[in-house]
Amino acid sequence: MTVNYPRIGVIGAGAMGRGIAQIAVQAGSEVLLLDSFADAAERGREALAAQWNKLHEKGKIDAPTRDAYVARVKAVDGMQALAGCDLVVEAVVENLEVKRTLFRELEDVVAPTATLVTNTSSLSVTAIAAGLQHPARFAGFHFFNPVPLMKVVEVVAGFKTSPEVCQKLAGYATQMGHSAVQAQDTPGFIVNHAGRGYGTEALRIVGEGVADFATIDRILKDQAGFRLGPFELLDLTALDVSHPVMESIYHQYFEEPRFRPSVITAQRLAAGALGRKTGEGFYRYDNGVMQQTPEAPAPVIEGTPAVWVSPRAARRAELLRLVNTLGAQIDSGSAPAPQSIILVAPLGFDVTTVAAVERLDATRTVGIDMLIDDAATKRRVLATNPATRRDVRDAAHALFARDGKAVSVIRDSGGFVTQRVIGAIVNIAADMCQQRVCTPADLETAVQLGLGYPRGPLAMGNLYGPTNMLEVLFNLQTVYGDPRYRPSPWLRRRGALGLSLLHEEE
Ligand code: NAI
């Protein structure tokens, strides 16, 4: 098989340029490495040689392969050396003017048929291409750090990029062992756009005093299967990287309320509590080890009051079975008896609204999140309302912890934690499909490989039910009166018709 681009240039020999050079050489290309900083290209070449040597020592590649790789990468020291390249990948500083100037100079050197690409993560591909003589051969080719391990690349079509160029780049990505996804030139492309829901919504929940960040992390890991909680993730990425991305995408989408950043991260950034790398973020780190405060044990209660379950509760039959299995008596009266715990299980609505609308005694009313099948989660989440009595809260907590399952009790919030965060993720993904940023299938691939979510956001919405997700968002919008929860038309139509969120119109 011949490689799509036998000879490529990589400009910028930093973290990204080196990674791209590595997988390009491994795919069979000859790579010319160029950097404006004296010796940087040569140091990059040496680092690559050392990397392949390490792979050889680990038994991953044999000696002839290692030597062939090393022979295929050269450090060069002037743009003129890139004259014969079929493809030039730019990975220099994230600055529009620097990139524009670089490509204008490059066009005078390479053949008009050579493909030119930028690895930018936040600048507009169209804006970088403006002023080029041949913008059709220019595209975004956005890799993730570390390049050899993050096996996805976004091929970004600018306003004038030709589809053939994108197809050939995608083919090359496959030759490099990566999955290519095709994106329109929109802020954040796919991964950084789809990733807005998780941290942003979790920060809002903390900001409202509903739960602390450690509780939110536990809930999202145990209920929805995320490998890292949103605050662990923010600590890992570091706030000096993630907060500016939040601000940038928010402004690039002209202050779209769904992407509104949080004052919490702005303040922590100002304080220098950046995360793992500074030893202090949302968590403290001692010698790189995260310090967790243990959870308080469930209260111990003598006897359990009977439980009355609202007729409108989500998964009501399942909830009744659960209460019964846990050993509480079910109050099956048409209205709750005077001593019963009143249990509600809303989707999107808060416990307060349900108590008021259903004319329940708020002092005895507690909510439980039943979006997800209880058998499929490792944690139950209860919510009180401002009037809930302490003894009722403790009795409910003790009851739901009786079989040893973890329980979190949070303050009242429409959608508890999981419904809100999953709702935000699904809604943003649905809107990306509505805007044709990419195909639903590419969105799923990009998010799973680029963000490491347990499943793609649309598959998440399908798992919990498109109609349920729509109900969550409609009701959240009512509770908060905020356009950020406005369901995307993509979700509204598919949810209303009970269609898969991956469904594309004929
Ligand atoms: P880096 O700072 O590690 O490397 C940049 C290199 O470019 C340096 O060696 C510098 O000397 C060189 N350079 C700067 N201006 C130059 C010019 N005019 N001509 C030639 N060389 C020049 O940066 P990094 O992290 O490798 O990022 C490079 C690009 O990749 C940026 O556009 C960034 O936004 C993008 N990117 C970065 C990711 C990351 O996680 N680091 C992820 C995805 C994209």
Side-chain angles (χ1 to χ4, degrees):
M1 182 186 71
T2 47
V3 67
N4 279 7
Y5 306 98
R7 180 173 248 236
I8 82 164
V10 173
I11 310 185
M16 297 306 288
R18 289 176 194 188
I20 296 165
Q22 182 183 337
I23 60 169
V25 164
Q26 290 168 192
S29 301
E30 182 190 343
V31 174
L32 305 178
L33 206 49
L34 173 68
D35 198 288
S36 60
F37 193 74
D39 289 341
E42 178 52 26
R43 273 189 282 113
R45 196 195 66 80
E46 285 164 10
L48 284 171
Q51 176 68 15
W52 284 314
N53 204 34
K54 219 191 286 167
L55 289 177
H56 170 58
E57 280 166 7
K58 282 191 191 158
K60 299 253 165 78
I61 53 174
D62 59 21
T65 304
R66 175 200 59 194
D67 297 343
Y69 286 172
V70 175
R72 279 210 296 275
V73 57
K74 291 189 184 64
V76 297
D77 61 4
M79 207 176 261
Q80 213 57 43
L82 305 182
C85 288
D86 316 294
L87 168 72
V88 179
V89 184
E90 168 275 312
V92 306
V93 286
E94 191 74 338
N95 177 302
L96 180 61
E97 266 325 301
V98 171
K99 289 184 197 277
R100 270 188 171 155
T101 310
L102 182 148
F103 281 110
R104 261 185 242 130
E105 287 172 21
L106 195 58
E107 268 204 321
D108 293 335
V109 173
V110 297
T113 51
T115 300
L116 306 181
V117 296
T118 173
N119 183 46
T120 184
S121 52
S122 65
L123 301 171
S124 154
V125 169
T126 305
I128 299 174
L132 290 186
Q133 296 163 43
H134 304 288
R137 48 88 165 255
F138 183 84
F141 206 33
H142 179 218
F143 288 89
F144 296 82
N145 193 16
V147 179
L149 300 181
M150 298 293 289
K151 302 236 174 241
V152 62
V153 53
E154 296 175 329
V155 178
V156 185
F159 189 65
K160 294 192 173 164
T161 309
S162 103
E164 291 74 34
V165 165
C166 293
Q167 264 161 28
K168 193 167 172 190
L169 285 167
Y172 187 49
T174 311
Q175 292 168 341
M176 295 192 287
H178 276 46
S179 295
V181 289
Q182 304 276 354
Q184 292 304 320
D185 183 23
T186 48
F189 310 132
I190 304 176
V191 172
N192 285 337
H193 185 169
R196 289 309 95 218
Y198 196 43
T200 314
E201 192 63 22
L203 280 160
R204 284 188 190 122
I205 299 173
V206 171
E208 288 169 21
V210 169
D212 59 38
F213 53 81
T215 302
I216 293 173
D217 277 355
R218 288 191 191 104
I219 292 173
L220 288 163
K221 288 193 289 184
D222 290 350
Q223 282 206 321
F226 287 94
R227 271 197 287 275
L228 288 180
F231 298 99
E232 290 172 291
L233 189 63
L234 285 167
D235 271 3
L236 188 66
T237 328
L239 287 187
D240 56 341
V241 175
S242 40
H243 184 81
V245 172
M246 293 185 216
E247 287 203 349
S248 158
I249 298 215
Y250 175 60
H251 293 305
Q252 288 189 73
Y253 272 107
F254 302 109
E255 285 71 49
E256 162 60 48
R258 285 189 190 114
F259 308 141
R260 193 185 310 140
S262 163
V263 292
I264 297 173
T265 46
Q267 193 209 38
R268 285 172 166 266
L269 174 60
L274 305 184
R276 200 176 268 272
K277 73 181 179 188
T278 55
E280 186 189 8
F282 290 98
Y283 297 91
R284 298 193 76 87
Y285 297 84
D286 281 351
N287 294 320
V289 179
M290 189 175 107
Q291 305 300 302
Q292 271 269 31
T293 318
E295 270 184 278
V300 180
I301 302 291
E302 299 271 320
T304 306
V307 177
W308 183 88
V309 177
S310 159
R312 296 196 197 166
R315 294 182 186 273
R316 183 166 191 269
E318 195 181 308
L319 187 52
L320 285 168
R321 267 199 307 278
L322 175 63
V323 169
N324 189 40
T325 311
L326 292 170
Q329 198 200 327
I330 307 272
D331 170 357
S332 47
S334 57
Q339 302 307 323
S340 299
I341 295 177
I342 301 171
L343 203 56
V344 298
L347 292 178
F349 275 129
D350 55 354
V351 179
T352 304
T353 302
V354 175
V357 170
E358 296 186 20
R359 300 193 191 289
L360 303 170
D361 174 359
T363 65
R364 291 185 286 136
T365 303
V366 173
I368 182 166
D369 189 350
M370 290 300 287
L371 173 70
I372 304 175
D373 180 1
D374 182 71
T377 68
K378 291 197 257 168
R379 179 175 293 271
R380 300 184 181 116
V381 178
L382 305 177
T384 53
N385 69 72
T388 307
R389 285 189 342 233
R390 182 84 204 197
D391 61 309
V392 172
R393 170 201 154 121
D394 286 350
H397 188 169
L399 171 65
F400 283 102
R402 201 175 265 175
D403 58 355
K405 198 154 179 165
V407 175
S408 297
V409 185
I410 61 170
R411 295 206 181 87
D412 203 7
S413 152
F416 301 87
V417 171
T418 301
Q419 293 177 24
R420 275 180 79 165
V421 174
I422 299 276
I425 292 173
V426 171
N427 201 29
I428 288 171
D431 213 46
M432 290 172 68
C433 296
Q434 185 70 42
Q435 293 174 39
R436 276 40 182 195
V437 170
C438 57
T439 64
D442 274 1
L443 189 132
E444 300 291 272
T445 305
V447 169
Q448 278 175 277
L449 296 176
L451 297 172
Y453 288 0
R455 49 182 64 78
L458 301 170
M460 245 180 238
N462 285 342
L463 179 70
Y464 304 136
T467 312
N468 287 340
M469 295 318 306
L470 180 59
E471 188 174 338
V472 165
L473 284 153
F474 260 132
N475 294 342
L476 277 170
Q477 202 183 358
T478 306
V479 171
Y480 287 94
D482 189 319
R484 71 192 188 220
Y485 296 115
R486 187 184 56 238
S488 161
W490 185 277
L491 173 61
R492 199 152 49 78
R493 300 197 177 108
R494 281 154 189 78
L497 299 173
L499 293 172
S500 158
L501 296 179
L502 283 151
H503 177 83
E504 289 182 85
E505 281 162 54
E506 295 296 327

